[in-house]
Amino acid sequence: MQRRSLARTIAAVSALGLTGALGGCGLGTGSSGITLELIAADYGTGVDDSSKKYWAALTEEYEAEHPGVRIDVTVHSWNDVDREVKERVDAGDPPDMAQIGAYADYAADGLLYKADDVLSIPVQADFVSQLATAGQIAGVQYGMPFASSTRVLFYNKTLFEEAGLTPPATWDELAANAQALKEEGVKYPYALPLGPEEAQAETMQWLLSGKGGYTDTMGIYGFDSAQNTRTVTWLKDELVGKGLTGPVAPGELDRADAFAAFTAGDVGMLNGHPSLVGMAEQKGVEFGTVPTPGASGESRATLGVADWMTAFKKSGHRDEIGDFLDFVYGKDQVLAFSRDYDLLPVTTSASRVMARSAEDEKLRPFLDQLPTAELYPVGKTSWADVNAEIKQRIGKAVSPNGSPEDVLGRLQATAVRAESAR
């Protein structure tokens, strides 16, 4: 422990003295023949912008300053990365690091280093507070946020101008706008993607706007709360039931298809994350964004989403992992990644730069939402099972013969069973 404490102190001094540069650059230099394996997710849309390019440039820079350390990065699509890591873990051969969608199960099984085992104090303290908290189990941080986003309401400016509309601030205004857009022949007045791809995001965004959510203030699941039931019932009756959500049933509409319809000019309004900005710009769609409408005014909270970096204990390369991650979370590296993929920085230092930079103006509406964002209950080991159940069931709640009370009650029962089984 004395060696580790000294190493962390050296890394802390380096980070304080060289903001945005190599953190703790002396730590890995003395190592000989160390290879660290990282499995990462791909945030790109194809070969030209694959995350492979980001990691190749980053590791080349790191290895040039650390000749005794090699970083072996394998990038998988989001459809495969979590499964790839799980298979490696189940086989008893986890990578040194994995950048994935969840961490709680691995932490609960004692497989992960704590954040303060590997990161220097300045780097760990630089995480945006909401994201750092979401990475904790019982007050101990295991999940290190790697990428984040929030949600705002996108609207098609051209369609709104043609219909003489202004952006909504309340549910009633949203419904009235959707009705006007429908009368103008808009294919999807409001796109409501409750299909299995990412139904959990659209659902939580709406529940938050109705002053509810997946959990209460004590972190206890509350799917069947009065607020949540009221919200889903309103969606069923006032949007879906009145034909304001387009030709595809919400339970069959995936987010990717909704985004594609928006960039084709066929959607009046939908909830979206930062990457939709670039997609719409590439297609020449004139759009605007506003905070999510709520039942009686602007929503008190928006959905925040984070992906996680994890460090596995199996190899025993704690010092080398920590030194590399200190570099990964340098201000310049975090900014570069966020800008490359239209995401929000996970560190305060990079967020401050983005908030002041004209270059990042298009991401500012999302950045402004981060202080009030609420994240999925990813610190619960039950979340994976509950998340899967939301994706399969929630679309049925707003179907013609669906019952919000019944579906939310079933989700609550699933959540309770999953919690008790852990």
Side-chain angles (χ1 to χ4, degrees):
M1 289 299 293
Q2 283 184 333
R3 178 177 176 273
R4 183 60 184 169
S5 298
L6 177 59
R8 291 291 87 199
T9 301
I10 293 171
V13 172
S14 298
L16 287 170
L18 296 172
T19 302
L22 300 180
C25 61
L27 190 60
T29 306
S31 301
S32 177
I34 294 293
T35 296
L36 298 180
E37 184 183 8
L38 166 63
I39 294 178
D42 198 344
Y43 290 81
T45 58
V47 175
D48 290 342
D49 65 346
S50 171
S51 295
K52 292 179 181 179
K53 291 187 175 182
Y54 172 82
W55 286 111
L58 183 146
T59 55
E60 181 180 2
E61 183 179 355
Y62 182 81
E63 289 172 354
E65 297 292 332
H66 299 74
V69 180
R70 179 174 177 269
I71 311 297
D72 181 9
V73 183
T74 305
V75 175
H76 295 280
S77 76
W78 272 110
N79 293 329
D80 301 323
V81 66
D82 286 339
R83 174 177 52 79
E84 291 283 344
V85 173
K86 185 178 186 303
E87 289 177 355
R88 289 283 301 273
V89 172
D90 289 347
D93 182 33
D96 295 282
M97 296 162 285
Q99 186 264 301
I100 47 180
Y103 65 87
D105 283 347
Y106 300 135
D109 290 339
L111 302 178
L112 300 181
Y113 286 119
K114 295 179 289 186
D116 59 10
D117 285 336
V118 291
L119 295 178
S120 65
I121 293 172
V123 170
Q124 190 176 358
D126 197 26
F127 287 132
V128 173
S129 60
Q130 294 95 319
L131 305 179
T133 299
Q136 296 176 358
I137 297 177
V140 178
Q141 185 176 358
Y142 293 93
M144 293 166 275
F146 183 77
S148 69
S149 67
T150 59
R151 301 298 194 270
V152 297
L153 182 75
F154 283 71
Y155 64 96
N156 184 307
K157 282 187 173 181
T158 302
L159 297 179
F160 266 57
E161 289 171 2
E162 291 173 351
L165 302 175
T166 56
T170 67
W171 288 356
D172 288 344
E173 291 173 3
L174 185 149
N177 283 355
Q179 182 62 47
L181 291 166
K182 179 182 178 182
E183 292 170 1
E184 291 289 322
V186 175
K187 189 173 182 180
Y188 292 89
Y190 178 86
L192 182 66
L194 296 179
E197 179 194 356
E198 205 185 31
Q200 80 283 1
E202 183 74 11
T203 301
M204 184 167 169
Q205 182 76 6
W206 274 100
L207 297 185
L208 290 172
S209 73
K211 300 181 180 180
Y214 289 153
T215 59
D216 61 20
T217 56
M218 301 298 292
I220 299 172
Y221 284 117
F223 282 95
D224 56 353
S225 70
Q227 297 96 319
N228 289 347
T229 302
R230 183 169 59 247
T231 297
V232 179
T233 299
W234 187 90
L235 281 173
K236 180 178 186 295
D237 295 343
E238 302 301 325
L239 286 187
V240 183
K242 294 183 178 180
L244 303 180
T245 55
V248 179
E252 299 174 6
L253 181 65
D254 282 336
R255 181 198 64 178
D257 294 331
F259 280 15
F262 185 80
T263 62
D266 292 332
V267 174
M269 298 172 284
L270 83 170
N271 288 321
H273 55 59
S275 65
L276 183 56
V277 171
M279 295 168 62
E281 288 177 343
Q282 288 177 3
K283 295 291 186 178
V285 176
E286 292 291 329
F287 66 92
T289 62
V290 292
T292 304
S296 56
E298 181 182 321
S299 178
R300 67 175 176 83
T302 189
L303 170 65
V305 177
D307 303 322
W308 306 97
M309 180 70 76
T310 55
F312 286 87
K313 295 178 179 179
K314 182 67 181 287
S315 71
H317 295 147
R318 182 175 67 170
D319 290 354
E320 292 81 7
I321 290 170
D323 190 61
F324 175 65
L325 290 180
D326 274 1
F327 175 71
V328 168
Y329 284 108
K331 181 179 63 179
D332 291 344
Q333 287 72 255
V334 173
L335 272 173
F337 179 84
S338 301
R339 287 167 171 167
D340 283 351
Y341 298 103
D342 289 328
L343 292 165
L344 301 182
V346 297
T347 62
T348 300
S349 59
S351 296
R352 287 173 178 163
V353 174
M354 183 172 281
R356 296 191 300 263
S357 172
E359 175 184 353
D360 302 305
E361 184 175 358
K362 65 182 180 180
L363 294 177
R364 202 157 297 138
F366 303 92
L367 194 62
D368 290 343
Q369 296 293 305
L370 195 54
T372 59
E374 293 191 19
L375 281 77
Y376 303 130
V378 290
K380 291 179 173 291
T381 55
S382 60
W383 171 240
D385 292 339
V386 174
N387 182 24
E389 194 74 1
I390 294 169
K391 292 179 178 182
Q392 293 301 315
R393 288 191 178 275
I394 196 62
K396 298 180 176 67
V398 298
S399 64
N401 297 319
S403 167
E405 294 89 346
D406 179 64
V407 170
L408 291 172
R410 288 174 181 268
L411 287 174
Q412 180 66 15
T414 295
V416 171
R417 286 196 301 271
E419 280 282 87
S420 62
R422 298 290 177 171

